[in-house]
Amino acid sequence: EAQVTQNPRYLITVTGKKLTVTCSQNMNHEYMSWYRQDPGLGLRQIYYSMNVEVTDKGDVPEGYKVSRKEKRNFPLILESPSPNQTSLYFCASRDPGVSYGYTFGSGTRLTVV
Amino acid sequence: RKEVEQDPGPFNVPEGATVAFNCTYSNSASQSFFWYRQDCRKEPKLLMSVYSSGNEDGRFTAQLNRASQYISLLIRDSKLSDSATYLCVVKDSGGGADGLTFGKGTHLIIQP
């Protein structure tokens, strides 16, 4: 089944404790992206990647890192999480070109206390 | 900054009714348009792309009006299962990020 897989689905952590949210896609998509979704603010892009070893900042990159060492994986790293990073996170992938929309993972609900 | 605007609703609609909502976008050079559906606390899922000539998929019809810079989604014979938030997505040819801008969504509630 074609899908984007994120782990974990739920995570509660403490301020300052480094964490990684994994994302993997099995559709051989070139583009991958991370979004966060907050009430009233909608989906905001954190980082995106157009191919292996190519990453760029989205609208809200502060406090996050990403890497794209392999085409299928695009982990999101929070080096020192803070409570304002409590949010619902989505990883997504798509083919390049104007006609293609994103396929999203099931989401990771992160709480930083 | 490129903007995609939607009425957040909620739209409360009786089952079986026809409902339509619009999405306006600010960048006249926008290339592609999509409607996504998002159920509560779930991931957004692509509902349909919006083509220049308009397109229909079962009970759903999407239209694009480039002159007025809006896209619309029409749902006929609405079902209880259509209750969700509908996100408008616009793709630009360039600019920051990968050119996709999401609206904040329109919340639709179909009532029995």
Side-chain angles (χ1 to χ4, degrees):
Chain A
E1 181 189 353
Q3 59 185 1
V4 178
T5 303
Q6 293 177 232
N7 279 297
R9 291 290 308 276
Y10 301 92
L11 179 60
I12 301 174
T13 190
V14 296
T15 299
K17 185 175 181 182
K18 180 179 178 180
L19 66 91
T20 299
V21 184
T22 63
C23 174
S24 179
Q25 51 96 2
N26 62 1
M27 296 167 280
N28 203 37
H29 285 164
E30 290 186 17
Y31 283 26
M32 296 188 74
S33 186
W34 276 103
Y35 290 87
R36 62 178 288 174
Q37 188 173 36
D38 303 286
L41 297 177
L43 279 160
R44 293 180 293 168
Q45 192 175 50
I46 302 170
Y47 269 95
Y48 71 104
S49 169
M50 291 186 174
N51 216 324
V52 175
E53 302 292 1
V54 179
T55 62
D56 278 294
K57 296 178 180 179
D59 297 316
V60 288
E62 293 77 22
Y64 304 95
K65 286 173 58 178
V66 293
S67 68
R68 188 92 182 274
K69 294 186 172 65
E70 308 162 282
K71 197 171 188 178
R72 62 182 291 125
N73 295 324
F74 191 44
L76 179 70
I77 302 154
L78 284 72
E79 294 271 4
S80 182
S82 61
N84 65 12
Q85 292 179 298
T86 293
S87 187
L88 178 58
Y89 290 86
F90 290 106
C91 180
S93 72
R94 69 179 181 94
D95 279 319
V98 299
S99 302
Y100 300 100
Y102 271 116
T103 299
F104 284 83
S106 299
T108 296
R109 187 166 292 279
L110 172 65
T111 302
V112 184
V113 298
Chain B
R1 174 163 176 73
K2 302 179 181 66
E3 298 288 342
V4 176
E5 301 286 343
Q6 296 183 252
D7 185 334
F11 284 63
N12 290 281
V13 175
E15 189 177 9
T18 295
V19 59
F21 31 85
N22 291 342
C23 162
T24 60
Y25 59 95
S26 62
N27 185 359
S28 59
S30 296
Q31 292 185 318
S32 306
F33 309 87
F34 308 91
W35 282 105
Y36 276 74
R37 172 201 168 115
Q38 185 175 24
D39 294 297
C40 187
R41 297 178 184 171
K42 298 276 184 74
E43 73 273 24
K45 293 186 178 177
L46 181 63
L47 180 65
M48 57 198 307
S49 302
V50 186
Y51 304 125
S52 295
S53 55
N55 48 301
E56 186 174 312
D57 183 2
R59 298 182 293 108
F60 296 83
T61 300
Q63 292 195 316
L64 167 64
N65 185 318
R66 282 196 183 272
S68 301
Q69 294 183 206
Y70 73 86
I71 66 172
S72 63
L73 180 66
L74 178 84
I75 306 174
R76 287 181 299 278
D77 187 23
S78 54
K79 314 290 185 190
L80 295 177
S81 58
D82 293 333
S83 297
T85 297
Y86 291 84
L87 305 174
C88 168
V89 184
V90 175
K91 187 182 186 311
D92 301 319
S93 58
D98 63 358
L100 282 169
T101 303
F102 283 78
K104 294 179 182 176
T106 295
H107 188 198
L108 176 64
I109 301 170
I110 306 299
Q111 297 177 324

